[in-house]
């Protein structure tokens, strides 16, 4: 059986290399003896692996596997892949065939051993050539990597949570302890210093490019310049403090100080730099944006709950002017327009008017529940709908349940009034991320 099993495991390796996105896969070859376990563990240690996928081509005693795990060095994150070479049992299977598919003996033995030793592990199960299994492994690793990255992140907060938005209020220690990032409060004077250092040439280049790219209404080039100046200053502030995300309070705060809305600057950072930016002090929303971006590669949209549409079984979502134009069908469907809310800026302000293009979406947010956090997750389908002349970014999302029942279910659980939306299906990854963060999650469709 040796060559048969070796070929099976090489097939696993090839599928992992093809399926895992953004990961380097280290395969030390088949481990079938204690000496091979020593060599494999040493290889893992030298490569400083952070996660181990254990797949058994046939039964192997746990002490051999455990030796490789221990030799790998600091405790890696472990995924046990219980596999077999077919979906069903054949009436003609002989003893050799049953042994070829006896991984369940070894995997179950490892779970018992790991549990007694209090070693954490994940489990996937499926036929050896099933693409869905490898997609699941990629999702687990993506969640683990994102949560780990969040624990090493620093988010800058310019200002504070908007007054009266108690649902968005947070305890910095609870953010750090569960969600991961350190929240660093940045005084607005530091942003103003960056704003004063922005050159006219920088502003002209950014504003001219934006003004030429999209059709416009209700605004002049000077409105674009004022907003671009704030955006450039925000990026300089981000770089100055080596941040991993930025959150701010616009409205009567930054908009009054700089004479321009900060929302376009946030949108430009999303699109051009792939930097997550949120408004109104919504740190939990910023974390959700980062998770969704990590899992899909797409730029999320920070929205608010709007209204229901019974005939289309859909929810209307209205934004805060912060999103990348890539969420729209094309640049032709995007308009530069005036800011719909006036908070003390000069001129007309600047905002995107566009609607989210059709396609499957994932929605979510998090609520600080006192001792911990609770993650809300949902799925839907952004539908084709005319762009409303509302001077804002918006979306129409069809849900699975009757829409009025859906909203009642959401409201009964208690959620934030903000909602993060992204193109793609990543609810499984979000559930795993919540588990790794040690917080509750719930899903409503």
């Amino acid at each position: 059986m040796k060559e048969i099993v070796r070929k099976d495991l090489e097939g696993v390796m090839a599928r992992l290399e093809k399926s895992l996105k953004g990961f380097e896969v280290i395969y030390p070859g088949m481990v079938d003896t204690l000496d091979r376990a020593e060599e494999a563990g040493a290889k893992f240690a030298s490569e400083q692996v952070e996660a181990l996928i254990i797949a058994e081509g046939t039964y192997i005693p746990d002490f051999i596997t455990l030796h490789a795990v221990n030799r790998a060095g600091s405790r890696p994150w472990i995924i046990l892949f219980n596999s077999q070479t077919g979906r069903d049992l054949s009436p003609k299977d002989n003893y050799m065939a049953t042994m070829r598919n006896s991984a369940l003996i070894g995997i179950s033995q490892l779970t018992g051993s790991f549990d007694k030793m209090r070693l954490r592990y994940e489990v996937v199960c499926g036929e050896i050539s099933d693409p869905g299994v490898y997609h699941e492994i990629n999702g687990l690793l993506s969640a683990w990597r994102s949560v780990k990255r969040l624990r090493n992140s620093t988010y800058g907060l310019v200002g504070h949570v908007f007054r009266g938005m108690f649902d968005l209020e947070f305890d910095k220690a609870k953010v750090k302890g569960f969600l991961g990032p350190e929240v660093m409060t940045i005084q607005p004077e530091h942003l103003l210093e960056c704003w004063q250092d922005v050159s006219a040439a920088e502003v002209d280049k950014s504003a001219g490019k934006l003004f030429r790219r999209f059709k416009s209404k209700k605004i002049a080039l000077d409105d674009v310049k004022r907003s671009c100046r704030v955006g450039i200053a925000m990026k300089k502030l981000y770089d100055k403090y080596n941040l991993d995300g930025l959150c701010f309070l616009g409205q009567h705060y930054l908009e009054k100080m700089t004479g321009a809305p900060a929302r376009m600057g946030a949108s430009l950072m999303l699109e051009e730099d792939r930097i997550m930016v949120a408004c109104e002090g919504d740190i939990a929303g910023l974390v959700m944006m980062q998770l969704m971006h990590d899992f899909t590669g797409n730029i999320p949209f920070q929205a608010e709950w709007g209204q229901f549409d019974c005939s289309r079984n859909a929810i209307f979502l209205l934004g805060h002017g912060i999103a990348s134009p890539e969420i729209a069908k094309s640049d032709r469907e995007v308009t530069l327009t005036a800011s719909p809310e006036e908070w003390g800026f000069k001129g007309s302000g600047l905002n995107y008017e566009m609607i989210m293009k059709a396609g499957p979406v994932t929605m979510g947010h998090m609520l600080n529940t006192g001792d911990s956090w609770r993650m809300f997750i949902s799925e839907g389908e952004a539908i084709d709908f005319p762009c409303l002349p509302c001077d804002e970014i918006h979306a129409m999302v069809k849900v699975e349940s009757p829409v009025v029942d859906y909203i009642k279910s959401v409201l009964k659980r208690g959620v934030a009034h903000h909602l993060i939306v992204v193109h793609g299906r990543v609810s499984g990854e979000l559930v795993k991320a919540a588990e790794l963060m040690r917080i509750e999650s719930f899903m409503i469709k």
Side-chain angles (χ1 to χ4, degrees):
M1 287 180 58
K2 187 169 186 175
E3 291 309 311
I4 295 174
V5 172
R6 188 193 308 277
K7 186 176 180 180
D8 288 343
L9 293 176
E10 288 172 352
V12 171
M13 169 63 181
R15 294 181 185 97
L16 286 172
E17 286 188 314
K18 182 179 179 181
S19 303
L20 301 189
K21 308 301 182 184
F23 298 97
E24 181 184 359
V25 183
I26 307 298
Y27 180 49
M30 183 173 70
V31 173
D32 57 345
T33 66
L34 202 56
D35 288 341
R36 285 291 300 123
E38 171 69 20
E39 294 167 2
K43 175 70 172 174
F44 293 144
S46 67
E47 297 285 352
Q48 297 182 316
V49 300
E50 297 177 283
L52 285 180
I53 301 168
I54 298 174
E56 297 193 3
T58 184
Y59 168 69
I60 187 169
D62 59 1
F63 75 92
I64 294 178
T65 306
L66 282 166
H67 186 80
V69 172
N70 291 330
R71 184 66 177 82
S74 59
R75 292 289 184 197
W77 198 53
I78 296 173
I79 297 176
L80 300 177
F81 177 16
N82 181 67
S83 64
Q84 58 189 51
T85 58
R87 290 176 55 86
D88 305 306
L89 193 70
S90 169
K92 297 181 180 180
D93 279 354
N94 56 20
Y95 186 74
M96 183 173 174
T98 63
M99 285 296 98
R100 183 184 182 189
N101 287 317
S102 62
L104 184 53
I105 305 173
I107 295 295
S108 62
Q109 189 176 77
L110 283 174
T111 64
S113 300
F114 286 170
D115 194 62
K116 291 169 73 173
M117 298 172 184
R118 300 293 187 268
L119 297 181
R120 181 167 184 162
Y121 59 90
E122 303 292 337
V123 176
V124 295
C125 182
E127 201 271 329
I128 201 170
S129 62
D130 179 8
V133 176
Y134 298 93
H135 177 76
E136 183 181 356
I137 292 173
N138 184 70
L140 288 172
L141 288 171
S142 296
W144 170 80
R145 177 177 58 188
S146 294
V147 171
K148 181 180 179 184
R149 183 182 298 155
L150 284 168
R151 290 170 182 158
N152 294 310
S153 296
T154 301
Y155 284 174
L157 174 60
V158 183
H160 50 81
V161 176
F162 194 100
R163 182 183 178 185
M165 295 183 180
F166 296 119
D167 56 331
L168 302 184
E169 291 286 357
F170 61 89
D171 177 330
K172 286 186 179 182
K174 292 293 193 299
V175 174
K176 181 62 184 171
F178 291 95
L179 307 187
E182 174 191 351
V183 179
M184 179 172 69
T185 301
I186 300 176
Q187 298 304 318
E189 288 80 10
H190 296 294
L191 177 61
L192 289 176
E193 287 176 5
C194 295
W195 179 72
Q196 290 165 352
D197 288 341
V198 176
S199 69
E202 290 176 291
V203 172
D204 290 344
K205 180 180 178 181
S206 179
K209 179 181 176 182
L210 195 63
F211 201 58
R212 289 189 300 270
R213 181 179 171 189
F214 301 110
K215 61 181 181 288
S216 61
K217 64 178 184 178
K218 305 180 184 177
I219 61 163
L221 181 57
D222 282 346
D223 295 312
V224 182
K225 287 183 177 181
R226 280 189 285 267
S227 281
C228 285
R229 182 180 179 185
V230 177
I232 294 167
M234 291 166 67
K235 179 59 168 58
K236 288 178 181 289
L237 183 78
Y238 177 93
D239 292 337
K240 178 180 179 180
Y241 288 103
N242 195 29
L243 301 174
D244 301 289
L246 183 63
C247 199
F248 65 93
L249 175 62
Q251 281 101 335
H252 55 278
Y253 202 69
L254 292 186
E255 296 186 14
K256 188 76 173 177
M257 294 177 187
T258 63
R263 52 182 64 189
M264 184 55 68
S267 295
L268 292 174
M269 290 174 70
L270 283 172
E271 182 185 16
E272 297 175 358
D273 306 295
R274 319 310 274 184
I275 294 169
M276 298 301 107
V277 187
C279 67
E280 296 187 334
D282 186 4
I283 290 293
L286 185 58
V287 172
M288 180 59 75
M289 291 176 75
Q290 187 64 61
L291 288 172
M292 288 182 168
H293 176 57
D294 286 350
F295 298 153
T296 65
N298 299 323
I299 295 298
F301 163 38
Q302 184 185 19
E304 291 184 336
W305 297 97
Q307 62 194 68
F308 55 83
D309 184 308
C310 292
S311 64
R312 298 170 183 83
N313 204 56
I315 307 166
F316 172 69
L317 303 174
L318 189 65
H320 272 299
I322 300 177
S324 167
E326 65 199 71
I327 75 165
K329 192 180 296 184
S330 71
D331 278 5
R332 295 189 301 275
E333 307 297 322
V334 179
T335 301
L336 293 178
T337 186
S339 297
E341 296 181 6
E342 198 281 310
W343 289 90
F345 52 76
K346 299 175 183 177
S348 300
L350 184 63
N351 207 40
Y352 281 133
E353 181 181 86
M354 59 185 176
I355 189 167
M356 201 172 196
K357 63 187 175 186
V361 297
T362 303
M363 302 175 282
H365 206 281
M366 285 175 280
L367 192 70
N368 188 188
T369 56
D371 291 339
S372 183
W373 293 79
R374 184 171 67 232
M375 182 185 291
F376 163 67
I377 306 168
S378 188
E379 291 181 345
E381 187 87 16
I383 61 174
D384 274 322
F385 196 80
C387 181
L388 302 186
C390 61
D391 297 327
E392 255 301 355
I393 305 166
H394 50 288
M396 283 283 282
V397 178
K398 184 177 181 180
V399 294
E400 184 177 305
S401 306
V403 66
V404 172
D405 293 341
Y406 174 91
I407 290 176
K408 286 168 63 178
S409 297
V410 169
L411 297 179
K412 283 180 179 179
R413 284 304 305 262
V415 295
H417 75 285
H418 283 183
L419 186 67
I420 311 302
V421 191
V422 73
H423 280 109
R425 297 270 196 237
V426 288
S427 58
E429 287 87 339
L430 289 174
V431 169
K432 178 50 62 176
E435 182 183 323
L436 292 170
M437 290 172 169
R438 300 171 293 121
I439 67 174
E440 175 192 354
S441 67
F442 68 99
M443 186 166 179
I444 297 177
K445 294 185 178 181

